[in-house]
């Protein structure tokens, strides 16, 4: 249970009409205390995890107030931002084959490593691909992160004349951000969509997450860390990223004219998966049975597989590109050995 609490964000939810009006100046003091704590050990794994969790819960508020705690979007490796020269070196080592890792809500790129295992690092080691990790503020709207991710990928491919092959492995919200990025890139005439070969989703809530819909997704991210206890007492708030997960918003038009704190029903526009890209999906049940209504504890199996009762919203992922497991919760998607074996098959690693 504890790992699920740390994996995805929020506090006790209420229908709040104005995030900024709610938090106002009352949040500045605890944020200042957190800033001081982060400054003392900015590069520690626990500090980075705290910062990622804070951004998942309040990231949109941090951006709105130009707060330095807001995470900027970057490509990283081992927690270090990669500049253009370093990215060019990665491309040269890769023989043109890149694996882009996209983390989920309230997480960061370092948290792909769990129980000593990192899907990206292991796949890279066995395939010759080079892994690059996206790091982003998960409290912002998915469509905003998608736009910036698309721009980062376009900048990446412009660093070389070499023919590239791009693959994306995305966990949870990261899958929605990746879909959003592809949509933006196609409409913007970017080059990189033509280079995308495979897009693999791990527990992505394509059609939303039930606990967000119910309005009672209780998470103790803020309450279990001494520096964030004051925030847990002062605010009850859902970031834009969290409310996007209610139905799986991918495009700006999915949320732009809607009060995100009102449960007004699914009003998304239809957005199919990329037509020329091989798409794969892993879905799991946290229990022995695949009929467990909460799926992996956060995302239902049908949502993770892109299945929908309305055929126009069904993502039509081929059966051979789906895998369903049991006794694997949302966070264990990052380390389960059975899932890794499935990934090896999908990435054609012998």
């Amino acid at each position: 249970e504890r790992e699920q609490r740390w994996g995805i964000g929020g506090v006790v939810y209420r229908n709040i009409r104005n995030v900024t009006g709610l938090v106002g100046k009352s949040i500045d003091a605890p944020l200042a205390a957190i800033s001081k704590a982060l400054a003392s050990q900015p590069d520690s794994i626990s500090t980075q995890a705290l910062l990622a969790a804070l951004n998942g819960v309040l990231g949109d508020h941090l951006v709105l107030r130009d707060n330095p705690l807001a995470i900027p979007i970057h490509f990283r490796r081992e927690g270090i931002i990669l500049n253009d020269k370093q990215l060019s070196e990665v491309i040269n080592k890769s023989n043109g084959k890149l694996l882009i890792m996209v983390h989920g809500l309230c997480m960061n790129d370092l948290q792909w490593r769990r129980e000593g295992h990192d899907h990206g690092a292991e796949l890279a080691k066995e395939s010759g691909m080079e892994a690059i990790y996206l790091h982003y503020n998960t409290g912002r709207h998915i469509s905003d992160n998608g736009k910036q991710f698309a721009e980062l990928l376009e900048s990446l491919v412009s660093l070389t004349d070499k023919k590239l092959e791009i693959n994306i492995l995305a966990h949870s919200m990261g899958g929605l951000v990746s879909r959003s990025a592809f949509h933006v890139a196609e409409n913007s005439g970017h080059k990189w969509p033509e280079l995308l070969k495979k897009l693999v989703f791990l527990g992505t809530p394509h059609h939303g997450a039930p606990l967000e819909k119910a309005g009672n997704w209780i998470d103790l991210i803020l309450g279990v860390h001494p520096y964030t206890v004051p925030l847990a007492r002062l605010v009850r708030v859902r970031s834009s990223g969290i409310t996007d997960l209610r139905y799986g918003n991918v495009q700006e038009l999915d949320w732009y004219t809607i009060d995100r704190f009102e449960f007004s029903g699914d009003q998304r526009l239809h957005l199919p998966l990329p037509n020329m890209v091989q798409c794969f999906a892993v879905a799991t049940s946290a229990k022995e049975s695949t009929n467990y209504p909460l799926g992996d504890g956060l995302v239902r199996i049908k949502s993770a597989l892109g299945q929908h009762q309305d055929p126009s919203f069904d993502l039509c992922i081929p059966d051979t590109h789906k895998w369903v497991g049991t006794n694997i919760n949302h966070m264990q998607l990052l380390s389960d050995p059975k899932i890794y074996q499935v990934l090896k098959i999908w990435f054609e690693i012998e």
Side-chain angles (χ1 to χ4, degrees):
E1 290 182 20
R2 187 167 178 231
E3 65 191 0
Q4 287 187 22
R5 291 170 183 166
W6 275 96
I8 205 161
V11 290
V12 182
Y13 293 155
R14 288 180 177 174
N15 288 332
I16 303 163
R17 292 185 176 276
N18 191 317
V19 178
T20 308
L22 171 77
V23 293
K25 294 182 179 178
S26 64
I27 204 172
D28 291 339
L31 284 180
I34 293 171
S35 297
K36 196 171 182 180
L38 293 174
S40 66
Q41 290 184 304
D43 298 324
S44 75
I45 292 176
S46 61
T47 296
Q48 297 242 349
L50 167 61
L51 186 61
L54 182 66
N55 273 257
V57 177
L58 292 169
D60 51 354
H61 169 76
L62 298 176
V63 170
L64 190 64
R65 302 197 123 205
D66 293 322
N67 191 298
L69 293 176
I71 293 174
I73 191 167
H74 289 295
F75 285 131
R76 305 206 307 180
R77 265 189 170 185
E78 298 179 0
I80 306 299
I81 296 171
L82 299 174
N83 59 32
D84 285 353
K85 180 181 177 183
Q86 292 165 321
L87 287 169
S88 295
E89 291 171 355
V90 171
I91 290 171
N92 289 334
K93 285 175 60 179
S94 71
N95 291 321
K97 293 185 177 182
L98 300 175
L99 176 62
I100 311 297
M101 308 289 291
V102 188
H103 63 75
L105 178 66
C106 285
M107 300 189 74
N108 63 37
D109 51 308
L110 296 173
Q111 289 167 298
W112 277 100
R113 180 164 294 279
R114 187 177 181 279
E115 298 182 357
H117 175 84
D118 176 340
H119 287 325
E122 294 303 317
L123 289 169
K125 186 189 302 181
E126 296 199 58
S127 69
M129 292 186 289
E130 287 289 325
I132 299 174
Y133 296 76
L134 185 70
H135 185 220
Y136 66 102
N137 175 351
T138 60
R140 301 180 69 220
H141 276 296
I142 286 168
S143 56
D144 291 336
N145 280 320
K147 182 176 186 294
Q148 288 194 304
F149 183 26
E151 292 167 351
L152 273 183
L153 284 171
E154 189 67 3
S155 176
L156 177 68
V157 302
S158 71
L159 294 175
T160 182
D161 293 328
K162 182 182 294 187
K163 184 178 179 181
L164 299 179
E165 175 187 301
I166 297 174
N167 300 283
I168 295 176
L169 177 57
H171 178 237
S172 195
M173 174 192 276
L176 299 180
V177 171
S178 300
R179 288 178 57 199
S180 180
F182 191 93
H183 173 67
V184 168
E186 273 201 318
N187 289 339
S188 302
H190 289 184
K191 297 177 182 178
W192 69 264
E194 297 179 4
L195 308 175
L196 183 61
K197 183 179 180 183
K198 294 180 180 180
L199 177 51
V200 181
F201 304 106
L202 301 179
T204 291
H206 292 291
H207 301 305
L211 292 177
E212 203 332 284
K213 291 177 187 175
N216 61 357
W217 195 342
I218 299 176
D219 192 300
L220 299 183
I221 283 176
L222 297 181
V224 296
H225 197 288
Y227 291 106
T228 52
V229 167
L231 291 181
R233 293 171 181 164
L234 282 171
V235 300
R236 297 192 172 191
V237 59
R238 288 168 289 173
S239 68
S240 301
I242 289 173
T243 54
D244 276 342
L245 292 181
R246 185 180 303 155
Y247 298 110
N249 292 343
V250 173
Q251 308 173 67
E252 183 176 305
L253 289 175
D254 291 339
W255 59 264
Y256 190 72
T257 61
I258 300 167
D259 183 342
R260 65 190 185 89
F261 295 109
E262 293 292 338
F263 292 84
S264 53
D266 187 354
Q267 299 187 40
R268 291 176 299 157
L269 299 177
H270 170 55
L271 184 68
L273 292 176
N275 191 31
M276 301 303 292
V277 178
Q278 296 179 56
C279 294
F280 304 81
V282 168
T284 61
S285 168
K287 305 295 184 180
E288 191 74 41
S289 171
T290 56
N291 293 321
Y292 179 52
L294 292 182
D296 63 22
L298 295 175
V299 180
R300 289 187 176 126
I301 287 177
K302 285 187 177 181
S303 181
L305 296 178
Q307 297 173 348
H308 200 282
Q309 59 187 8
D310 182 342
S312 67
F313 278 88
D314 195 300
L315 296 184
C316 301
I317 298 173
D319 289 341
T320 54
H321 288 191
K322 298 174 185 173
W323 187 85
V324 179
T326 57
N327 294 314
I328 302 171
N329 68 35
H330 194 70
M331 293 305 297
Q332 290 169 337
L333 289 162
L334 298 174
S335 59
D336 187 86
K338 295 187 293 296
I339 291 176
Y340 181 66
Q341 293 305 313
V342 171
L343 294 177
K344 284 179 63 174
I345 293 171
W346 287 348
F347 283 108
E348 301 171 22
I349 299 171
E350 296 182 2

